[in-house]
Amino acid sequence: MSHTVITGAVLYDPKVSVIWDTIARFFDSQGVPMDVVFYTNYALQSKALAEGHLDIAWNSPLAWLESQRLTNNGCRAIAMRDTDRDRCTHFVVRKDGPKSLAELKGATIALGAQDSPQATLIPLGHLLKNGLEPGRDVSVKRFDLLVGKHGDHIGGELEAFRCLQKGEAQASAMLDLNWQTWTGDGTFSPEEFRILETTPNFDHCVFTVRDDFPREIETKWLKALFAMSYDNPDHREMMDLEGLKKWEPGRTSGFGPLDHAVRSLGFFEGDFR
Amino acid sequence: MDESNTSWTLRIRQDSDKEALCFIRRHSLRIGPPLTFDSEEPSVSALETALAALGAETVNGLGALARRRRKEILALEIVLQAQVEDPLAALGVIGESGSPALERIHMRGYVSTLHDPEEILALWEDLHPTLPLLATFRRACSVDIDWKITL
């Protein structure tokens, strides 16, 4: 009997399970049986990976750091979407709002959920790097929607923007892809808001394995994953649902900004509430 | 009372990874996963089968009573919507603490008839206390039904 690869994923919407069912069927068709176990939050999933209950975890960037922490840097990043690479967060202000990051001193900034890398942690790390201490130099208004899911649910990010829109904050933080989507679909007008500042690029989700995951199984699994082609109509729907055009090898070089942020904020030490 | 005459025995066998084959007297029925959120799922789920049975009980029950009372129903259809309390719990998401139980069932019945709507509603009033599935579901969750009776 061939080894069934057990993959973990965090689920915030039952419909997302359909995407994973489709992916699992694709792997089955490639001769690499895969089953998916769903978790309600990344903390449980990271623990399950560290304890060997999972072969592969579909990790948020924060869950990658958590997995590394739990395994004494005993994990490997094996694959990610093309759209997970080189993301950035924009600080968005009203058209007539602050002209520079320094002008945010004394202002209120609206952020997403407590554990959202893109809408909270990386922006806070960026402010700290630029000499603005949250709570002292800037007030932070946070929108803690679905904490535990690391900002996968865009609700907190959108609520933060609504806060800016209502004039209750002078800036909000949003992922570049959300800026593109929301200015494109009419959620808000780019005539009324502009990008004040952009963080350095960072990487987002990543398939993670423990170092002891057998290389021959990993190779087969990756071969199947990389066989997905956007040019193949049978694969395209699945890739559209997952929001990518190409699977890329995993890399860890893009987790620096988040690593800096969580260290500065004492996130894993419980100092950041 | 002889229980053998008032109980039902069904045989349900795993037929494939995804389907069960149910033997019911001299009939058989295939049922898919416990529940599905995939509109393309090839099998009818167990939850959908149970809900379909509830709707069929109402449609067939009302149709039969109408015939007995010599009320002509030209067409009868029910649209049923249901929700579970915690869909993620129903999917077995680890860490979810909610219940996968049905929370609410809403049925809208459409009846086409030449009779006065009040006569059809009177049929329903007589019928609903006799329906075993409706009575059982009502013990478990909120079930409401409203009727649109037209010509």
Side-chain angles (χ1 to χ4, degrees):
Chain A
M1 193 175 172
S2 56
H3 178 92
T4 297
V5 175
I6 307 293
T7 302
V10 169
L11 204 64
Y12 62 91
D13 181 335
K15 288 208 163 55
V16 180
S17 70
V18 178
I19 302 173
W20 283 103
D21 287 345
T22 308
I23 293 173
R25 280 198 296 274
F26 168 78
F27 273 90
D28 279 347
S29 74
Q30 300 288 307
V32 187
M34 183 177 102
D35 218 338
V36 185
V37 178
F38 296 119
Y39 292 86
T40 193
N41 60 54
Y42 281 106
L44 284 174
Q45 179 174 285
S46 300
K47 188 165 175 279
L49 180 70
E51 290 174 355
H53 302 306
L54 291 176
D55 293 318
I56 301 176
W58 178 236
N59 269 346
S60 74
L62 186 61
W64 159 260
L65 296 181
E66 171 74 341
S67 296
Q68 285 288 73
R69 199 178 69 88
L70 292 175
T71 58
N72 295 317
N73 297 319
C75 289
R76 283 182 280 122
I78 62 169
M80 62 206 327
R81 300 170 294 194
D82 52 354
T83 45
D84 284 312
R85 292 182 164 206
D86 299 321
R87 299 269 56 89
C88 60
T89 289
H90 298 314
F91 288 86
V92 177
V93 295
R94 301 184 83 82
K95 252 313 193 268
D96 58 357
K99 303 277 187 298
S100 68
L101 209 57
E103 281 187 34
L104 280 181
K105 193 161 186 177
T108 298
I109 180 163
L111 300 176
Q114 185 239 13
D115 55 7
S116 170
Q118 64 272 13
T120 302
L121 298 171
I122 291 172
L124 286 177
H126 190 71
L127 290 178
L128 282 166
K129 251 190 173 165
N130 285 276
L132 290 171
E133 194 174 319
R136 188 192 68 189
D137 301 315
V138 288
S139 295
V140 172
K141 205 164 189 174
R142 227 173 50 211
F143 292 86
D144 281 335
L145 268 74
L146 298 181
V147 172
K149 299 183 198 315
H150 295 185
D152 283 359
H153 185 269
I154 57 166
E157 214 164 319
L158 190 57
E159 286 298 306
F161 172 73
R162 296 288 184 216
C163 180
L164 164 68
Q165 207 171 28
K166 283 188 276 187
E168 293 167 6
Q170 284 69 55
S172 82
M174 69 177 70
L175 188 69
D176 58 339
L177 293 175
N178 289 333
W179 167 268
Q180 282 170 28
T181 303
W182 291 337
T183 53
D185 68 9
T187 301
F188 63 88
S189 166
E191 300 303 311
E192 293 176 50
F193 298 91
R194 64 184 163 78
I195 296 167
L196 171 72
E197 170 92 2
T198 296
T199 66
N201 285 355
F202 55 85
D203 286 351
H204 211 260
C205 294
V206 64
F207 280 118
T208 307
V209 298
R210 296 194 328 174
D211 271 340
D212 58 3
F213 184 55
R215 291 278 185 175
E216 66 276 15
I217 299 172
E218 179 182 324
T219 303
K220 273 189 197 169
W221 192 87
L222 287 175
K223 193 177 166 199
L225 184 75
F226 294 142
M228 270 191 216
S229 165
Y230 200 75
D231 295 331
N232 183 333
D234 291 341
H235 301 171
R236 190 174 304 154
E237 189 188 352
M238 175 171 49
M239 296 175 85
D240 280 341
L241 288 168
E242 260 295 304
L244 78 155
K245 293 211 163 38
K246 189 172 184 267
W247 286 105
E248 300 279 2
R251 67 179 189 188
T252 57
S253 56
F255 296 127
L258 181 60
D259 191 41
H260 163 263
V262 297
R263 284 176 197 276
S264 305
L265 297 165
F267 183 86
F268 289 125
E269 291 72 33
D271 299 338
F272 181 65
R273 303 232 170 253
Chain B
M1 195 181 286
D2 180 1
E3 249 189 42
S4 63
N5 292 328
T6 57
S7 66
W8 289 264
T9 303
L10 289 73
R11 197 157 54 86
I12 297 101
R13 191 181 76 196
Q14 185 183 30
D15 195 49
S16 69
D17 273 359
K18 304 231 164 115
E19 281 191 332
L21 186 54
C22 312
F23 299 97
I24 307 155
R25 293 178 283 111
R26 283 179 291 174
H27 306 278
S28 66
L29 176 68
R30 281 180 198 283
I31 299 179
L35 83 170
T36 180
F37 294 96
D38 184 357
S39 57
E40 302 297 319
E41 164 62 46
S43 306
V44 177
S45 72
L47 181 67
E48 288 162 333
T49 306
L51 294 169
L54 174 67
E57 177 191 65
T58 301
V59 166
N60 293 337
L62 192 63
L65 186 60
R67 275 194 302 280
R68 286 203 295 277
R69 304 264 176 98
R70 301 188 192 287
K71 308 286 182 202
E72 190 181 5
I73 287 179
L74 303 170
L76 172 54
E77 183 173 316
I78 279 182
V79 176
L80 185 151
Q81 289 180 313
Q83 289 160 340
V84 295
E85 287 177 33
D86 183 349
L88 297 180
L91 285 169
V93 174
I94 294 170
E96 281 295 319
S97 54
S99 165
L102 281 162
E103 181 176 53
R104 179 169 183 263
I105 299 171
H106 175 72
M107 293 194 277
R108 171 161 284 188
Y110 296 89
V111 182
S112 176
T113 181
L114 293 171
H115 295 281
D116 190 289
E118 293 305 317
E119 294 177 67
I120 303 301
L121 291 174
L123 287 180
W124 173 243
E125 286 306 310
D126 287 346
L127 175 73
H128 76 79
T130 69
L131 299 176
L133 286 180
L134 182 64
T136 306
F137 275 103
R138 276 188 165 156
R139 280 186 192 169
C141 66
S142 152
V143 183
D144 57 85
I145 180 160
D146 64 75
W147 293 100
K148 298 286 170 198
I149 302 166
T150 57
L151 205 151

